[in-house]
Amino acid sequence: VASPAPLRCDRDRLWDRLAELARVGATPDGGVGRLALTDEDRAGRELVSAWAAELGLHERADRIGNLFWRRPGEVRDRAAVMAGSHLDTVPDGGRFDGAFGVLAALEAVQTLAEAGTRTAAPVEVACWANEEGARFPRVCTGSGAFAGAMTEEDVRALRATDGPAYGDELDRLGLAGPGAPGAERPSAYFEAHIEQGALLERAGIPIGVPEGIRAVRYLEATFEGEEAHAGGPMEDRRDALRAAARAIEELHALAAGDGLLAGAIVAAGRLEIEPNVPTVVPGRVRAWLCVRPAGLEGEEGWAGELERRLGAVAGELGVIVEVRAASRNGPARFDERAVALVRQGARALELETLHLVLPVGHDAGYLAGVAPTAMVLVPCRGGVSHSPDEWAERDWVGDGGDVLLGALRAAARG
Ligand SMILES: [Zn+2]
């Protein structure tokens, strides 16, 4: 069956809406601050709701504040094809992260409607609650609960950095609906997003098509040495902090090497030092190591190797190390057929694509466990995100909107 001629979004309308939405929660330095479940977050949702209402979309929210706008399909009881992202931001973020995915989805639905294009399945725009985890310290809360990764009770009990509980803010703002999260599963999910990296811009390629999202593993490494006077003898010390420093270097060496951790993205973001006193050689150090392996296999073959190597470098200093898995998330592998629809959408528009594996999480990571999922990435200047300097050009955004539209239309038509 021949594909119909591709439709194109109204890229000026998409661009203007991004600018208008950026005025909600605008910060003095040109950024956007719409923290989750604040008055600004609600105002942002209301603006998008108004656009969706003009289009006659049916709106509903679930009990944890995920918000959906639906255009019906032609075939009864067909599960919706869904596209979306999030409207919350970090305290001083940009106008594209999240907002682009929601507004591109809305633009796609509006283009279908204005072209009189009917789809067999309903097409639904999704706005996931608290993606950033900036105010309630749990990333992708809404999509995670939708996918069954956390319970409604746990979500409602989340404490904001400024005090109130998630559930109380949800009630205060009236953002909860009657439906259970995840009760209505989509038949496919697509998410458009800025890359938040510089691969596309550097390669001069307009569309990124991720195969999936890297796993994120946090490991807690405890180094047991022996406290001593900082002015005492240098021989026979068992300096736990020195061992931790060597271990962190070793972690980086493993990531830079060609072994089991080759190509991993790693960091040591937190240390707890005991007793943490200038005149005392540390006797005990806990280090939090973050590892994002390069592949999407999800095996932990590297974990034993890492523990052995850290043990070896610490052992040279007479320090014992114990490594414990603190948290694990992913990897998420996107669906081959959904990914192919994104690629076809780009090809129909003669847009070149780059294939990659994402290092950072998105709502699509959770949705991949619920429905066939794929993403559409567009470049962002210098790879900068979570900053007032976050920027994408009108045509980058417009191309992404067109590709999302093509994928949605193809998934919903049959
Ligand atoms: Zn985002």
mmCIF file with all atom_site columns, all heavy atoms in Angstrom, residues 239-250:
data_model
loop_
_atom_site.group_PDB
_atom_site.id
_atom_site.type_symbol
_atom_site.label_atom_id
_atom_site.label_alt_id
_atom_site.label_comp_id
_atom_site.label_asym_id
_atom_site.label_entity_id
_atom_site.label_seq_id
_atom_site.pdbx_PDB_ins_code
_atom_site.Cartn_x
_atom_site.Cartn_y
_atom_site.Cartn_z
_atom_site.occupancy
_atom_site.B_iso_or_equiv
_atom_site.pdbx_formal_charge
_atom_site.auth_seq_id
_atom_site.auth_comp_id
_atom_site.auth_asym_id
_atom_site.auth_atom_id
_atom_site.pdbx_PDB_model_num
ATOM 1  N N   . ASP A 1 239 ? 44.132 4.836  54.622 1.00 0.00 ? 239 ASP A N   1
ATOM 2  C CA  . ASP A 1 239 ? 43.394 6.069  54.355 1.00 0.00 ? 239 ASP A CA  1
ATOM 3  C C   . ASP A 1 239 ? 42.203 5.779  53.429 1.00 0.00 ? 239 ASP A C   1
ATOM 4  O O   . ASP A 1 239 ? 42.360 5.553  52.223 1.00 0.00 ? 239 ASP A O   1
ATOM 5  C CB  . ASP A 1 239 ? 44.361 7.070  53.711 1.00 0.00 ? 239 ASP A CB  1
ATOM 6  C CG  . ASP A 1 239 ? 43.733 8.424  53.455 1.00 0.00 ? 239 ASP A CG  1
ATOM 7  O OD1 . ASP A 1 239 ? 42.491 8.503  53.306 1.00 0.00 ? 239 ASP A OD1 1
ATOM 8  O OD2 . ASP A 1 239 ? 44.497 9.405  53.384 1.00 0.00 ? 239 ASP A OD2 1
ATOM 9  N N   . ALA A 1 240 ? 41.003 5.821  54.000 1.00 0.00 ? 240 ALA A N   1
ATOM 10 C CA  . ALA A 1 240 ? 39.812 5.442  53.228 1.00 0.00 ? 240 ALA A CA  1
ATOM 11 C C   . ALA A 1 240 ? 39.513 6.444  52.108 1.00 0.00 ? 240 ALA A C   1
ATOM 12 O O   . ALA A 1 240 ? 39.036 6.061  51.040 1.00 0.00 ? 240 ALA A O   1
ATOM 13 C CB  . ALA A 1 240 ? 38.603 5.332  54.160 1.00 0.00 ? 240 ALA A CB  1
ATOM 14 N N   . LEU A 1 241 ? 39.806 7.716  52.338 1.00 0.00 ? 241 LEU A N   1
ATOM 15 C CA  . LEU A 1 241 ? 39.506 8.717  51.302 1.00 0.00 ? 241 LEU A CA  1
ATOM 16 C C   . LEU A 1 241 ? 40.458 8.599  50.117 1.00 0.00 ? 241 LEU A C   1
ATOM 17 O O   . LEU A 1 241 ? 40.064 8.743  48.967 1.00 0.00 ? 241 LEU A O   1
ATOM 18 C CB  . LEU A 1 241 ? 39.563 10.128 51.900 1.00 0.00 ? 241 LEU A CB  1
ATOM 19 C CG  . LEU A 1 241 ? 39.224 11.260 50.919 1.00 0.00 ? 241 LEU A CG  1
ATOM 20 C CD1 . LEU A 1 241 ? 37.866 11.053 50.263 1.00 0.00 ? 241 LEU A CD1 1
ATOM 21 C CD2 . LEU A 1 241 ? 39.267 12.611 51.630 1.00 0.00 ? 241 LEU A CD2 1
ATOM 22 N N   . ARG A 1 242 ? 41.726 8.314  50.418 1.00 0.00 ? 242 ARG A N   1
ATOM 23 C CA  . ARG A 1 242 ? 42.695 8.131  49.341 1.00 0.00 ? 242 ARG A CA  1
ATOM 24 C C   . ARG A 1 242 ? 42.295 6.920  48.485 1.00 0.00 ? 242 ARG A C   1
ATOM 25 O O   . ARG A 1 242 ? 42.388 6.950  47.263 1.00 0.00 ? 242 ARG A O   1
ATOM 26 C CB  . ARG A 1 242 ? 44.080 7.928  49.967 1.00 0.00 ? 242 ARG A CB  1
ATOM 27 C CG  . ARG A 1 242 ? 45.188 8.310  49.047 1.00 0.00 ? 242 ARG A CG  1
ATOM 28 C CD  . ARG A 1 242 ? 46.522 8.272  49.753 1.00 0.00 ? 242 ARG A CD  1
ATOM 29 N NE  . ARG A 1 242 ? 47.557 8.039  48.767 1.00 0.00 ? 242 ARG A NE  1
ATOM 30 C CZ  . ARG A 1 242 ? 48.664 7.347  48.982 1.00 0.00 ? 242 ARG A CZ  1
ATOM 31 N NH1 . ARG A 1 242 ? 48.910 6.820  50.181 1.00 0.00 ? 242 ARG A NH1 1
ATOM 32 N NH2 . ARG A 1 242 ? 49.537 7.179  48.007 1.00 0.00 ? 242 ARG A NH2 1
ATOM 33 N N   . ALA A 1 243 ? 41.836 5.891  49.157 1.00 0.00 ? 243 ALA A N   1
ATOM 34 C CA  . ALA A 1 243 ? 41.383 4.701  48.426 1.00 0.00 ? 243 ALA A CA  1
ATOM 35 C C   . ALA A 1 243 ? 40.166 5.035  47.565 1.00 0.00 ? 243 ALA A C   1
ATOM 36 O O   . ALA A 1 243 ? 40.069 4.590  46.410 1.00 0.00 ? 243 ALA A O   1
ATOM 37 C CB  . ALA A 1 243 ? 41.052 3.580  49.414 1.00 0.00 ? 243 ALA A CB  1
ATOM 38 N N   . ALA A 1 244 ? 39.255 5.837  48.108 1.00 0.00 ? 244 ALA A N   1
ATOM 39 C CA  . ALA A 1 244 ? 38.061 6.215  47.337 1.00 0.00 ? 244 ALA A CA  1
ATOM 40 C C   . ALA A 1 244 ? 38.463 7.040  46.120 1.00 0.00 ? 244 ALA A C   1
ATOM 41 O O   . ALA A 1 244 ? 37.918 6.861  45.023 1.00 0.00 ? 244 ALA A O   1
ATOM 42 C CB  . ALA A 1 244 ? 37.097 7.003  48.225 1.00 0.00 ? 244 ALA A CB  1
ATOM 43 N N   . ALA A 1 245 ? 39.436 7.937  46.304 1.00 0.00 ? 245 ALA A N   1
ATOM 44 C CA  . ALA A 1 245 ? 39.907 8.767  45.181 1.00 0.00 ? 245 ALA A CA  1
ATOM 45 C C   . ALA A 1 245 ? 40.478 7.876  44.077 1.00 0.00 ? 245 ALA A C   1
ATOM 46 O O   . ALA A 1 245 ? 40.179 8.061  42.897 1.00 0.00 ? 245 ALA A O   1
ATOM 47 C CB  . ALA A 1 245 ? 40.961 9.759  45.671 1.00 0.00 ? 245 ALA A CB  1
ATOM 48 N N   . ARG A 1 246 ? 41.278 6.891  44.451 1.00 0.00 ? 246 ARG A N   1
ATOM 49 C CA  . ARG A 1 246 ? 41.836 5.963  43.457 1.00 0.00 ? 246 ARG A CA  1
ATOM 50 C C   . ARG A 1 246 ? 40.740 5.156  42.783 1.00 0.00 ? 246 ARG A C   1
ATOM 51 O O   . ARG A 1 246 ? 40.796 4.892  41.588 1.00 0.00 ? 246 ARG A O   1
ATOM 52 C CB  . ARG A 1 246 ? 42.802 4.988  44.138 1.00 0.00 ? 246 ARG A CB  1
ATOM 53 C CG  . ARG A 1 246 ? 44.131 5.611  44.440 1.00 0.00 ? 246 ARG A CG  1
ATOM 54 C CD  . ARG A 1 246 ? 45.152 4.508  44.574 1.00 0.00 ? 246 ARG A CD  1
ATOM 55 N NE  . ARG A 1 246 ? 46.414 5.038  45.048 1.00 0.00 ? 246 ARG A NE  1
ATOM 56 C CZ  . ARG A 1 246 ? 47.452 4.258  45.353 1.00 0.00 ? 246 ARG A CZ  1
ATOM 57 N NH1 . ARG A 1 246 ? 47.337 2.946  45.265 1.00 0.00 ? 246 ARG A NH1 1
ATOM 58 N NH2 . ARG A 1 246 ? 48.570 4.792  45.758 1.00 0.00 ? 246 ARG A NH2 1
ATOM 59 N N   . ALA A 1 247 ? 39.743 4.775  43.579 1.00 0.00 ? 247 ALA A N   1
ATOM 60 C CA  . ALA A 1 247 ? 38.651 3.968  43.022 1.00 0.00 ? 247 ALA A CA  1
ATOM 61 C C   . ALA A 1 247 ? 37.856 4.773  42.001 1.00 0.00 ? 247 ALA A C   1
ATOM 62 O O   . ALA A 1 247 ? 37.449 4.248  40.964 1.00 0.00 ? 247 ALA A O   1
ATOM 63 C CB  . ALA A 1 247 ? 37.739 3.478  44.148 1.00 0.00 ? 247 ALA A CB  1
ATOM 64 N N   . ILE A 1 248 ? 37.643 6.052  42.286 1.00 0.00 ? 248 ILE A N   1
ATOM 65 C CA  . ILE A 1 248 ? 36.896 6.900  41.338 1.00 0.00 ? 248 ILE A CA  1
ATOM 66 C C   . ILE A 1 248 ? 37.685 7.034  40.041 1.00 0.00 ? 248 ILE A C   1
ATOM 67 O O   . ILE A 1 248 ? 37.130 6.948  38.941 1.00 0.00 ? 248 ILE A O   1
ATOM 68 C CB  . ILE A 1 248 ? 36.589 8.273  41.976 1.00 0.00 ? 248 ILE A CB  1
ATOM 69 C CG1 . ILE A 1 248 ? 35.582 8.093  43.117 1.00 0.00 ? 248 ILE A CG1 1
ATOM 70 C CG2 . ILE A 1 248 ? 36.058 9.251  40.931 1.00 0.00 ? 248 ILE A CG2 1
ATOM 71 C CD1 . ILE A 1 248 ? 35.455 9.303  44.032 1.00 0.00 ? 248 ILE A CD1 1
ATOM 72 N N   . GLU A 1 249 ? 39.003 7.208  40.163 1.00 0.00 ? 249 GLU A N   1
ATOM 73 C CA  . GLU A 1 249 ? 39.847 7.245  38.957 1.00 0.00 ? 249 GLU A CA  1
ATOM 74 C C   . GLU A 1 249 ? 39.768 5.923  38.196 1.00 0.00 ? 249 GLU A C   1
ATOM 75 O O   . GLU A 1 249 ? 39.724 5.901  36.965 1.00 0.00 ? 249 GLU A O   1
ATOM 76 C CB  . GLU A 1 249 ? 41.308 7.530  39.343 1.00 0.00 ? 249 GLU A CB  1
ATOM 77 C CG  . GLU A 1 249 ? 41.622 8.994  39.470 1.00 0.00 ? 249 GLU A CG  1
ATOM 78 C CD  . GLU A 1 249 ? 41.201 9.785  38.233 1.00 0.00 ? 249 GLU A CD  1
ATOM 79 O OE1 . GLU A 1 249 ? 41.613 9.418  37.120 1.00 0.00 ? 249 GLU A OE1 1
ATOM 80 O OE2 . GLU A 1 249 ? 40.456 10.755 38.392 1.00 0.00 ? 249 GLU A OE2 1
ATOM 81 N N   . GLU A 1 250 ? 39.737 4.821  38.936 1.00 0.00 ? 250 GLU A N   1
ATOM 82 C CA  . GLU A 1 250 ? 39.668 3.502  38.307 1.00 0.00 ? 250 GLU A CA  1
ATOM 83 C C   . GLU A 1 250 ? 38.346 3.340  37.538 1.00 0.00 ? 250 GLU A C   1
ATOM 84 O O   . GLU A 1 250 ? 38.318 2.791  36.434 1.00 0.00 ? 250 GLU A O   1
ATOM 85 C CB  . GLU A 1 250 ? 39.810 2.422  39.388 1.00 0.00 ? 250 GLU A CB  1
ATOM 86 C CG  . GLU A 1 250 ? 39.907 1.010  38.866 1.00 0.00 ? 250 GLU A CG  1
ATOM 87 C CD  . GLU A 1 250 ? 41.173 0.757  38.033 1.00 0.00 ? 250 GLU A CD  1
ATOM 88 O OE1 . GLU A 1 250 ? 42.119 1.574  38.103 1.00 0.00 ? 250 GLU A OE1 1
ATOM 89 O OE2 . GLU A 1 250 ? 41.192 -0.254 37.303 1.00 0.00 ? 250 GLU A OE2 1
#
